[in-house]
C-alpha cells in the first residue's frame, strides 16, 4: 500500500511539474490568440477595483461584491489545446490577499504570487503579471464569456484591494490544424556576435491574413519590469493588454527593428531573440528563437546593480524609505547611470537620493502606473561596495495626507555605464591582478611585465629573506 501511495504521489508530482512548464508564457513555435480587456473609462488608471468600498466600478451605481465582467470578444475554441489567463495585478492596498477568479460560473481559481517576492508577499508593493492555467472547457465559443474576481475580505483596516490593469485570455491551438502566420528571424543569425546597435529582420514566410505588429522579444539578463524578481527571462509585459518593455516592434515590411543595446547589462550567458508575429485575424505565431548570441561592445560596459533590503509597504507618504545595492565596477570609468523601476502614482514622488545626495526629483502621473528609466549623468554620488538609495517623504498637500508613490518589487534597479578601453598597468594593479613575479620595471616599480628588471631584483634580494620561520620575512625569494 505504501508503495502504491508513493507511486501515486510521484505521478501527481510529475503531472504538476509538467503542467507548470506547459502553462507559461508562450515559447517559440506556439500559435495562439489573445483576447484582451481593461476597464475602459474606469477610475484609477482605468483599472478594475477588486475589493474595497468602491466595488468594481467607481462612480457607477452600487455593485455587489461579485458582479461579472462580460467579454465582447468572439472566442474561437476550434482546435484549442490549452488556455491561460494573464492578469495585470497591482497590490494596491498592502496586506490584501486571496485574489481569485471565476469563469462562467465555474470553480474559483487562485491567482498565484511570484516565488521571488519574500513573505509576507502582501507586504511588498508589486505590479505583476501572473499566468493562470485554465482548461478550454471553462470557456464558451462565441461572445458568451464572463469572469468574476474577488479578494479575501479579511484585512487589518477593512480595505482589501487589488487593482487590475487588464486581463487577457490566451487560447493556444494545434499549429497543424489552424491557419496561422509563419515567419523567421533572418538577422542576426544564431551563434553570431551582436554589437551596440543590432538590426533585427523578420522574414514573413506565410500570411493567411494581413499582418499587424511584429514584436521582437529577447531572453537575457536585464532589469525586471515584470515585477517577479526574475532577471533572466523573456523580457516583456503588458499594460492594458498592450505589449511593452520589449525589444521593439515593426508594423510593415521589411519588419526591421533597430535594437540599441547600450544599456543592456554585461553577462556571460548567451542571448536569444524571437518574434511575436500577429495577423489582423488575431492569430499570433512565435518564431523559432535565434540562439547563442554573443554581445560585444568594445569600449562599453554596463553593470546591473540588483537592489536588496527592499522596504515593506514602500509608499512615500509613510516616510523616507531606503534600499541598498552594491557596485563592483571601477567608478573612475563610470559615465552615466540609470534608475529603473515601476511605480504607482509617481506624481507624488519627492526625490530619490543615493548615499544622501539627491539625484532626481520627480516624474509621472498621479493615480496611474508608470515605468521609469531615469538617466543620471552625474555619477559622483555612487561609491564602490554598498550604496544606499532612498526615496523622500511625500509632503502634505493643503495640510492633508495624499496618496504618495508606491515603489513596486523588486525595488529601484541601478544600471551603471562604463567607458572602458584597453587596460593599463595601473588598472591591473588596482584590480589585484598583478603577478607575484612582477617586481620592478624601468622606473623601479612593477610594470606588468616579467623581464630582466624583475630578475635583477630577484638576484639582488634572494638571500635577504630565506627563513620561512621568520615572521618579518614577507617575500621569501
Amino acid at each position: 500500500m505504501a508503495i502504491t501511495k508513493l507511486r501515486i504521489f510521484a505521478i501527481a508530482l510529475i503531472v504538476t511539474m509538467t503542467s507548470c512548464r506547459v502553462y507559461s508564457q508562450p515559447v517559440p513555435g506556439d500559435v495562439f490568440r489573445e483576447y484582451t480587456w481593461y476597464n475602459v473609462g474606469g477610475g484609477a488608471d482605468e483599472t478594475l477595483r477588486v475589493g474595497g468600498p468602491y466595488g468594481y466600478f467607481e462612480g457607477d451605481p452600487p455593485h455587489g461584491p461579485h458582479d461579472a465582467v462580460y467579454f465582447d470578444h468572439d472566442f474561437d475554441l476550434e482546435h484549442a489545446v490549452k488556455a491561460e489567463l494573464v492578469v495585470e495585478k497591482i497590490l494596491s492596498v498592502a496586506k490584501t490577499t486571496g485574489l481569485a477568479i471565476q469563469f462562467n460560473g465555474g470553480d474559483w481559481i487562485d491567482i498565484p504570487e511570484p516565488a521571488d517576492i519574500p513573505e509576507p508577499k502582501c507586504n511588498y508593493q508589486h505590479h505583476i503579471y501572473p499566468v493562470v492555467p485554465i482548461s478550454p472547457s471553462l470557456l464558451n465559443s462565441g461572445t458568451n464569456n464572463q469572469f468574476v474576481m474577488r479578494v479575501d475580505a479579511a484585512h487589518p483596516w477593512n480595505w482589501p484591494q487589488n487593482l487590475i490593469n487588464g486581463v487577457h485570455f490566451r487560447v493556444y491551438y494545434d499549429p497543424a490544424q489552424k491557419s496561422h502566420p509563419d515567419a523567421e528571424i533572418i538577422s542576426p543569425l544564431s551563434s553570431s556576435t551582436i554589437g551596440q546597435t543590432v538590426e533585427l529582420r523578420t522574414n514573413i514566410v506565410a500570411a493567411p491574413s494581413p499582418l499587424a505588429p511584429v514584436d521582437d522579444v529577447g531572453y537575457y539578463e536585464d532589469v525586471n519590469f515584470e515585477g517577479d524578481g526574475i532577471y533572466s527571462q523573456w523580457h516583456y509585459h503588458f499594460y492594458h493588454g498592450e505589449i511593452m518593455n520589449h525589444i521593439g516592434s515593426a508594423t510593415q515590411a521589411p519588419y526591421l527593428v533597430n535594437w540599441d543595446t547600450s544599456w543592456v547589462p554585461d553577462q556571460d550567458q548567451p542571448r536569444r531573440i524571437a518574434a511575436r508575429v500577429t495577423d489582423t485575424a488575431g492569430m499570433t505565431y512565435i518564431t523559432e528563437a535565434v540562439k547563442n548570441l554573443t554581445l560585444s561592445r568594445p569600449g562599453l560596459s554596463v553593470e546591473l546593480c540588483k537592489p536588496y533590503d527592499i522596504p515593506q509597504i514602500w509608499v512615500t507618504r509613510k516616510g523616507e524609505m531606503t534600499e541598498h545595492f552594491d557596485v563592483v565596477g571601477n567608478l573612475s570609468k563610470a559615465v552615466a547611470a540609470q534608475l529603473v523601476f515601476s511605480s504607482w502614482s509617481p506624481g507624488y514622488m519627492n526625490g530619490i537620493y543615493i548615499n544622501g545626495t539627491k539625484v532626481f526629483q520627480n516624474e509621472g502621473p498621479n493615480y496611474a502606473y508608470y515605468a521609469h528609466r531615469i538617466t543620471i549623468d552625474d555619477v559622483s554620488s555612487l561609491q564602490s561596495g554598498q550604496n544606499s538609495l532612498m526615496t523622500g517623504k511625500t509632503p502634505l498637500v493643503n495640510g492633508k495626507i495624499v496618496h504618495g508613490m508606491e515603489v513596486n518589487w523588486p525595488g529601484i534597479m541601478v544600471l551603471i555605464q562604463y567607458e572602458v578601453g584597453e587596460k593599463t598597468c595601473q588598472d591591473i594593479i588596482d584590480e589585484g591582478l598583478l603577478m607575484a613575479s612582477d617586481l620592478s620595471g624601468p622606473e623601479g616599480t612593477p610594470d606588468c611585465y616579467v623581464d630582466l628588471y624583475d630578475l635583477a631584483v630577484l638576484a639582488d634580494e634572494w638571500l635577504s629573506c630565506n627563513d620561512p620561520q621568520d615572521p618579518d620575512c614577507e617575500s621569501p625569494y
Side-chain angles (χ1 to χ4, degrees), residues 26-32 183 217 236 274-277 284-288:
V27 297
D30 278 342
V31 173
F32 55 90
V217 297
Y236 63 95
R276 293 166 45 107
V277 181
T284 298
Y285 169 71
I286 305 290
T287 66
E288 292 301 319

Side-chain angles (χ1 to χ4, degrees), residues 218-226 228-236 245-247 259-267 269 271 297 302-306 338 340 373 410 413-415:
Y219 190 109
Y220 48 91
E221 183 174 66
D222 203 357
V223 292
N224 181 237
F225 273 124
E226 296 79 11
D228 53 12
I230 301 173
Y231 291 91
S232 293
Q233 60 175 296
W234 289 103
H235 282 295
Y236 63 95
N245 284 313
H246 56 304
I247 291 175
W259 182 24
D260 181 0
T261 69
S262 58
W263 285 100
V264 174
D266 298 344
Q267 54 205 276
Q269 66 183 36
R271 296 149 187 81
R297 300 170 296 193
V302 179
E303 180 181 2
L304 170 58
C305 305
K306 300 174 184 177
Q338 282 190 342
V340 186
R373 190 178 280 269
M413 297 157 281
V414 179
L415 293 167

Side-chain angles (χ1 to χ4, degrees), residues 183-189 198-204 214 216 247 250 252-259 273-275 277 287-288 290:
E184 60 181 351
I185 295 177
I186 58 174
S187 177
L189 299 176
V198 186
E199 285 193 352
L200 278 66
R201 292 181 179 271
T202 302
N203 177 52
I204 306 304
V214 172
D216 291 321
I247 291 175
Q252 59 186 13
Y255 300 105
L256 169 65
V257 170
N258 288 310
W259 182 24
I273 295 172
V277 181
T287 66
E288 292 301 319
V290 175

Side-chain angles (χ1 to χ4, degrees), residues 50-342:
V50 181
Y54 295 113
Y56 273 179
F57 303 101
E58 180 181 1
D60 287 349
H63 286 65
H66 303 316
D67 288 336
V69 175
Y70 290 86
F71 261 67
D72 294 329
H73 299 285
D74 187 356
F75 277 61
D76 175 12
L77 300 179
E78 185 180 23
H79 303 304
V81 294
K82 64 178 182 177
E84 60 196 17
L85 176 74
V86 181
V87 181
E88 302 175 38
K89 177 221 171 182
I90 303 170
L91 173 63
S92 185
V93 179
K95 300 186 182 297
T96 300
T97 60
L99 181 64
I101 190 165
Q102 179 191 65
F103 305 107
N104 297 324
D107 293 334
W108 285 96
I109 301 173
D110 292 331
I111 295 176
E113 303 282 11
D116 286 69
I117 296 180
E119 297 290 351
K121 300 178 190 298
C122 61
N123 276 8
Y124 291 90
Q125 302 302 138
H126 57 259
H127 188 164
I128 58 174
Y129 307 86
V131 179
V132 183
I134 58 175
S135 170
S137 64
L138 294 177
L139 304 175
N140 299 317
S141 294
T143 58
N144 185 25
N145 284 281
Q146 60 179 278
F147 70 87
V148 178
M149 301 185 82
R150 71 181 184 189
V151 293
D152 193 332
H155 192 263
W157 51 92
N158 298 318
W159 193 320
Q161 179 176 270
N162 290 158
L163 299 181
I164 307 302
N165 243 342
V167 300
H168 63 265
F169 291 91
R170 187 181 292 132
V171 179
Y172 293 84
Y173 306 98
D174 179 353
Q177 300 291 325
K178 207 73 169 176
S179 177
H180 62 85
D182 189 10
E184 60 181 351
I185 295 177
I186 58 174
S187 177
L189 299 176
S190 291
S191 301
S192 62
T193 298
I194 59 177
Q196 190 166 334
T197 301
V198 186
E199 285 193 352
L200 278 66
R201 292 181 179 271
T202 302
N203 177 52
I204 306 304
V205 177
S209 300
L211 291 184
V214 172
D215 302 313
D216 291 321
V217 297
Y219 190 109
Y220 48 91
E221 183 174 66
D222 203 357
V223 292
N224 181 237
F225 273 124
E226 296 79 11
D228 53 12
I230 301 173
Y231 291 91
S232 293
Q233 60 175 296
W234 289 103
H235 282 295
Y236 63 95
H237 62 98
F238 302 94
Y239 175 71
H240 289 167
E242 296 292 328
I243 192 171
M244 65 182 299
N245 284 313
H246 56 304
I247 291 175
S249 299
T251 57
Q252 59 186 13
Y255 300 105
L256 169 65
V257 170
N258 288 310
W259 182 24
D260 181 0
T261 69
S262 58
W263 285 100
V264 174
D266 298 344
Q267 54 205 276
D268 294 329
Q269 66 183 36
R271 296 149 187 81
R272 286 177 271 168
I273 295 172
R276 293 166 45 107
V277 181
T278 305
D279 63 21
T280 53
M283 194 71 73
T284 298
Y285 169 71
I286 305 290
T287 66
E288 292 301 319
V290 175
K291 302 177 182 178
N292 299 320
L293 296 174
T294 300
L295 182 61
S296 177
R297 300 170 296 193
L300 175 66
S301 177
V302 179
E303 180 181 2
L304 170 58
C305 305
K306 300 174 184 177
Y308 57 94
D309 295 337
I310 308 303
Q312 296 188 24
I313 315 180
W314 194 338
V315 184
T316 58
R317 70 171 177 268
K318 292 170 57 67
E320 297 174 344
M321 299 281 185
T322 301
E323 68 172 30
H324 293 99
F325 64 94
D326 295 333
V327 174
V328 176
N330 184 352
L331 287 173
S332 68
K333 298 183 180 300
V335 293
Q338 282 190 342
L339 311 180
V340 186
F341 63 106
S342 79

Side-chain angles (χ1 to χ4, degrees), residues 457-473:
V457 173
L458 179 63
D460 185 53
E461 299 185 3
W462 75 281
L463 289 177
S464 64
C465 187
N466 57 11
D467 182 2
Q469 303 301 320
D470 184 353
D472 297 324
C473 185

Side-chain angles (χ1 to χ4, degrees), residues 34-47:
E34 292 177 319
Y35 301 96
T36 64
W37 178 91
Y38 68 96
N39 190 16
V40 178
D45 196 26
E46 299 187 295
T47 62

